[in-house]
Amino acid sequence: MSSTSLDHGSKEIPALKRDTSSRGMYQVCNDGDRFNSCQVIYSQFGLAIHQNDHQARRRFVQWAQNEIVVVPDFHKRILFSDEAHFCLNGYVNKQTCRIWIEANPQVYVETPLHPEKLTVWCALWAGGILLQNDEDHNVTVNGDRYRAMITNFFIPELNNHDVQELWFQQDGATCHTARATIDLLKDTFGDHLISRFGPVNWRPRSCDLTPLDYFLWRYVKSLVYADKPQTLDHLEDNICRVIADIRPQMLEKVIEN
């Protein structure tokens, strides 16, 4: 077992307080009194929003609001993407399941050193969810594997959709933002790419803005361990079943939230 300290001794700095919904964040950004009184936010694993993050996040939200003025269903056209690890022993990776609080919890979390796990990649938008499991279990996602997934799975899946109308979002993980990866995504999405080093810059430490982090991973992990799967194949079947059962009506509500 390994232990991770959550006490980083971070001092309080002005930051954007997360509301319970992404639309709530738009409201926070436009409320001067609330905005000026924001406090530092710590996630459960000790991530503190940096001093300049609130301005960067505010600029991004204002950009999104401007897009919605032009295209009212703009937020429904964004493919939000990310990976998550599902450990066979039921351990929840705090990197993909966050609980936001206003004070440093100053606790230690014991984690398995080398748990058996599945890595799952999803792209979620109002119209559905694209799911890709890595055929090799217990692998680390790197640039080569990520580009192979984009080329062999994601882009072919998009043939069933009007790519000209869709935007693609990814976070700033190194495997996502190599020059070769960004060029590959630009070939498909052009300027409709929201990413670090992309035409529209994705703001760091902004996991609370994506429906995968504030809805999908938490929802799926609350269900896939119900029957206590004993093998990775069993766990994989549960993940595929739970995600397949998510109806478009639910996704519409998540995006509108």
Side-chain angles (χ1 to χ4, degrees), residues 117-131:
K117 64 184 179 183
L118 291 173
T119 300
V120 174
W121 179 90
C122 282
L124 180 155
W125 82 109
I129 301 175
L130 300 179
L131 165 67

Side-chain angles (χ1 to χ4, degrees), residues 78-132:
I78 302 175
L79 285 156
F80 294 94
S81 71
D82 204 1
E83 300 93 0
H85 300 308
F86 289 77
C87 296
L88 184 59
N89 62 6
Y91 166 72
V92 176
N93 181 0
K94 301 305 185 295
Q95 290 285 345
T96 54
C97 187
R98 295 171 169 87
I99 299 174
W100 292 77
I101 56 179
E102 297 183 4
N104 189 330
Q106 299 184 3
V107 297
Y108 288 85
V109 177
E110 290 189 347
T111 64
L113 189 58
H114 298 294
E116 289 188 279
K117 64 184 179 183
L118 291 173
T119 300
V120 174
W121 179 90
C122 282
L124 180 155
W125 82 109
I129 301 175
L130 300 179
L131 165 67
Q132 170 67 13

Side-chain angles (χ1 to χ4, degrees), residues 8-124:
H8 298 292
S10 300
K11 61 182 180 179
E12 290 194 352
I13 52 178
L16 180 62
K17 181 176 293 186
R18 182 190 184 276
D19 209 308
T20 55
S21 70
S22 57
R23 191 166 296 278
M25 181 186 166
Y26 300 157
Q27 296 167 356
V28 170
C29 285
N30 287 318
D31 187 334
D33 293 337
R34 293 176 66 191
F35 182 77
N36 291 330
S37 64
C38 287
Q39 301 296 319
V40 66
I41 300 297
Y42 292 91
S43 74
Q44 195 174 23
F45 61 94
L47 172 67
I49 295 177
H50 291 186
Q51 187 169 10
N52 295 326
D53 285 352
H54 65 293
Q55 291 292 349
R57 287 155 62 91
R58 184 172 185 172
R59 286 194 298 270
F60 177 81
V61 171
Q62 288 174 337
W63 169 82
Q65 285 181 314
N66 291 337
E67 293 293 325
I68 291 174
V69 169
V70 178
V71 182
D73 65 345
F74 166 74
H75 55 298
K76 297 181 181 180
R77 302 184 182 190
I78 302 175
L79 285 156
F80 294 94
S81 71
D82 204 1
E83 300 93 0
H85 300 308
F86 289 77
C87 296
L88 184 59
N89 62 6
Y91 166 72
V92 176
N93 181 0
K94 301 305 185 295
Q95 290 285 345
T96 54
C97 187
R98 295 171 169 87
I99 299 174
W100 292 77
I101 56 179
E102 297 183 4
N104 189 330
Q106 299 184 3
V107 297
Y108 288 85
V109 177
E110 290 189 347
T111 64
L113 189 58
H114 298 294
E116 289 188 279
K117 64 184 179 183
L118 291 173
T119 300
V120 174
W121 179 90
C122 282
L124 180 155

Side-chain angles (χ1 to χ4, degrees), residues 1 52 75 79 96 161 163 179-180 226 242 251 257:
M1 305 286 284
N52 295 326
H75 55 298
L79 285 156
T96 54
H161 305 281
V163 179
R179 183 183 297 274
V242 169
L251 296 177
N257 186 20

